[in-house]
């Protein structure tokens, strides 16, 4: 993409309303713009990064055999009357009336709706287990929306729902999803801490939250300090991890904590995922049954599983930035390479830059080409703010020395590549090790 044709409204000003760094940087890099309290519109750069997060989430859900659906955002309130949550969910539930005076609601979560779909089609134990998910906008009328996309009223969530024949199978599903979540967050360059959690308004008896440690996190976590040595990529991770103490504030009971005080750590975290096993709460209340092998009608066991897709961008930026701006992990960056032409007026510089750009595009590398007629300092500052992991910088020096500079945004290190080589470099395969062994 040529920057001159892009809509990336960057800004040098620090927005007064933003209290945390990720919110400030998302506004300054032109990723999002506020529509109303807790409600944002996503601008092109934000859309690209959000898409990267969603892609990873989707791949890992497909990998465990979950079926992607896309449920309507608007639901009839009757479904929520059946489950009893029409009353119990409270003020976070946004209700409104259509022209026939029927009460509708904007989905804050979709247990009722998926159970309704399930009961329409699935009748036999032979069809179980089934696992569904969607990546869809939610609305919760949060009492205190804040920190930008971290606690919005409208936000993008991956919500998943499982149906199993019995408790044993449901627990197996839960463990698979627990493991898939760890993998999902790892792929985003994050180190999540799973903690035992309260199941809140969803109900049920087994629940974990996944947190990214950050001083700006809204949650307080308590955990055994040996968690820092835990190998989250070990195969039987759920079984091993269940022996390590880690709990959210709601769940932590100081009087009955199995960990000695001197071994107990306390940190703030950003909740990026939450999983629940709640058994037959919805299948019973909504009368969703299947026949078992003996022809008896039974209520399937359910769980539900959320990932805060839009919140994750905030969490990723909290974990990856410096005073110049965002530093995207390779997996999430909206562009792989930033190409800066420092001297647009110079014909040779522009020809060389155009050439490099075409070469990268041909290799299907997502490149943001700053071809704007702006001051060099401004262009470098914008590219640092936007946070693309590698920058190719072309200016008068490149021509004089027959070299092109490649800057690593994270380390600031600059390596030089011979001019005639650059188009043949496979940037898709570039990693720090390969780049710097030259
Ligand atoms: P919280 O305690 O932060 O309100 P929750 O327990 O209400 O979260 P869930 O209902 O489990 O959240 O939703 C699943 C995931 O969706 C959460 O783990 C979080 O990452 C994300 N999420 C929840 N509420 C919001 C919000 N208001 N803004 C952005 N993301 C949210
Ligand atoms: Mg909540």
């Amino acid at each position: 993409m040529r920057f001159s044709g892009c809509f990336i409204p960057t800004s040098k000003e620090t927005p007064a309303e933003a209290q945390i760094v990720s919110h400030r940087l998302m506004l300054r890099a032109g990723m999002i713009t506020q529509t109303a309290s807790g409600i944002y519109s996503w601008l092109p750069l934000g859309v690209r990064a959000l898409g990267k997060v969603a892609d990873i989430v989707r791949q890992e859900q497909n990998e465990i055999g979950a079926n992607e659906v896309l449920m309507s955002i608007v639901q009839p309130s009757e479904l929520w009357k059946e489950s009893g949550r029409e009353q119990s969910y409270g003020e976070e539930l946004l209700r409104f009336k259509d022209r026939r005076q029927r009460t509708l609601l904007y989905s804050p979560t979709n247990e009722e709706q998926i159970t309704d779909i399930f009961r329409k089609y699935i009748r036999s134990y032979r069809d179980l287990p089934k696992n569904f998910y969607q990546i869809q906008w939610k609305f919760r009328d949060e009492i205190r929306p804040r920190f930008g996309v971290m606690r919005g009223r409208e936000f993008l969530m991956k919500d998943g729902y499982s149906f199993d024949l019995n408790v044993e199978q449901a627990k197996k599903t839960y463990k698979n999803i627990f493991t898939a979540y760890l993998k999902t967050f790892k792929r985003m360059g994050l180190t999540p801490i799973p903690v035992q959690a309260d199941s809140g308004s969803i109900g049920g008896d087994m629940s974990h939250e996944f947190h990214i440690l950050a001083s700006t996190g809204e949650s307080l976590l308590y955990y055994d300090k040996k968690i820092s040595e835990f190998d989250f990529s070990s195969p039987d991770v759920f079984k091993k991890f269940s022996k390590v103490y880690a709990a959210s504030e709601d769940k932590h009971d100081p009087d009955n904590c199995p960990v000695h005080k001197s071994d107990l750590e306390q940190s703030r975290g950003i909740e990026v995922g939450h999983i629940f096993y709640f058994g037959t709460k919805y299948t019973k209340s909504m009368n969703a049954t299947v026949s078992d092998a003996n022809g008896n009608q039974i209520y399937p066991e359910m769980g539900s599983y959320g990932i805060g897709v839009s919140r994750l961008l905030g969490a990723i930026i909290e974990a990856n930035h410096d005073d110049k701006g965002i530093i995207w992990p390779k997996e999430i960056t909206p562009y792989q390479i930033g190409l800066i032409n420092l001297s647009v007026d110079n014909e040779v510089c522009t020809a060389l830059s155009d050439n490099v750009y075409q070469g990268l595009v041909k290799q299907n590398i997502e490149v943001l080409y700053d071809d704007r007629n702006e001051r060099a300092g401004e262009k470098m500052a914008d590219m640092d703010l936007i946070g693309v992991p590698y920058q190719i910088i072309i200016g008068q020096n490149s021509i004089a020395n027959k070299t092109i500079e490649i800057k690593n945004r994270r380390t600031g290190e600059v390596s030089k590549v011979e001019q005639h080589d650059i188009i043949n470099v496979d940037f898709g395969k570039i990693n720090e090790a390969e780049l710097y062994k030259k």
Side-chain angles (χ1 to χ4, degrees), residues 64 128-131 161-179 205-208 238 275-281 283 298-305:
I64 55 169
L128 294 183
K130 278 282 173 300
N131 193 354
Y161 307 90
S162 64
F163 295 84
D164 280 285
L165 201 54
N166 54 46
V167 178
E168 197 191 338
Q169 279 186 14
K171 293 199 165 159
K172 209 169 129 205
T173 299
Y174 185 94
K175 288 170 197 172
N176 283 342
I177 290 170
F178 180 98
T179 311
D205 55 20
M206 184 155 66
S207 176
H208 283 89
F238 184 83
I275 60 177
F276 306 87
Y277 160 64
F278 47 74
T280 57
K281 179 176 151 112
T283 47
I298 58 135
Y299 297 111
E301 300 281 324
M302 280 181 76
S304 74
Y305 315 92

Side-chain angles (χ1 to χ4, degrees), residues 92 140 142 151:
E92 272 187 27
R140 294 181 184 176
E142 298 275 357
R151 183 163 299 281

Side-chain angles (χ1 to χ4, degrees), residues 203-350:
D205 55 20
M206 184 155 66
S207 176
H208 283 89
E209 291 169 1
F210 294 77
H211 286 266
I212 306 305
L213 295 184
S215 57
T216 48
E218 290 187 292
S219 316
L220 201 52
L221 316 174
Y222 295 87
Y223 52 88
D224 191 330
K225 70 178 180 200
K226 71 168 175 271
I227 219 169
S228 59
E229 293 146 33
F230 192 81
D231 176 12
F232 286 106
S233 52
S234 83
D236 213 359
V237 66
F238 184 83
K239 198 163 159 209
K240 286 187 180 146
F241 187 78
S242 52
K243 299 199 181 82
V244 186
Y245 183 80
S248 69
E249 194 174 14
D250 302 336
K251 192 83 179 176
H252 176 69
D253 174 2
D255 300 329
N256 292 303
C257 179
V259 180
H260 190 267
K261 246 194 178 141
S262 60
D263 289 333
L264 194 68
E265 297 257 15
Q266 179 187 325
S267 291
R268 302 206 75 85
I270 300 167
E271 182 195 318
V272 291
H274 197 168
I275 60 177
F276 306 87
Y277 160 64
F278 47 74
T280 57
K281 179 176 151 112
Y282 296 91
T283 47
K284 262 195 185 135
S285 62
M286 297 182 67
N287 200 30
T289 60
V290 296
S291 55
D292 70 8
N294 306 315
N296 301 318
Q297 293 298 305
I298 58 135
Y299 297 111
E301 300 281 324
M302 280 181 76
S304 74
Y305 315 92
I307 290 183
V309 175
S310 48
R311 179 181 284 182
L312 266 164
L313 281 175
I316 290 165
I317 295 172
E318 287 294 319
N320 296 281
H321 68 269
D322 63 12
D323 54 359
K324 296 195 188 82
I326 304 168
I327 307 174
W328 288 111
K330 210 167 167 256
E331 298 74 15
I332 308 298
T333 185
Y335 293 95
Q336 300 298 325
I337 303 264
L339 169 64
I340 309 177
N341 177 3
L342 293 177
S343 313
V344 209
D345 293 337
N346 181 306
E347 270 173 41
V348 187
C349 272
T350 297

Side-chain angles (χ1 to χ4, degrees), residues 11-66:
S11 151
K12 282 198 255 319
E13 254 102 283
T14 302
E17 75 273 23
Q19 299 164 39
I20 62 170
V21 68
S22 57
H23 188 194
R24 281 199 291 275
L25 290 175
M26 287 180 83
L27 290 169
R28 283 193 51 215
M31 292 176 66
I32 53 168
T33 187
Q34 186 173 328
T35 303
S37 169
I39 304 180
Y40 292 87
S41 288
W42 291 74
L43 305 183
L45 201 65
V47 171
R48 289 182 79 100
L50 191 63
K52 295 283 174 81
V53 172
D55 284 349
I56 293 178
V57 170
R58 179 176 284 117
Q59 283 163 16
E60 294 303 325
Q61 290 296 303
N62 292 345
E63 182 75 26
I64 55 169

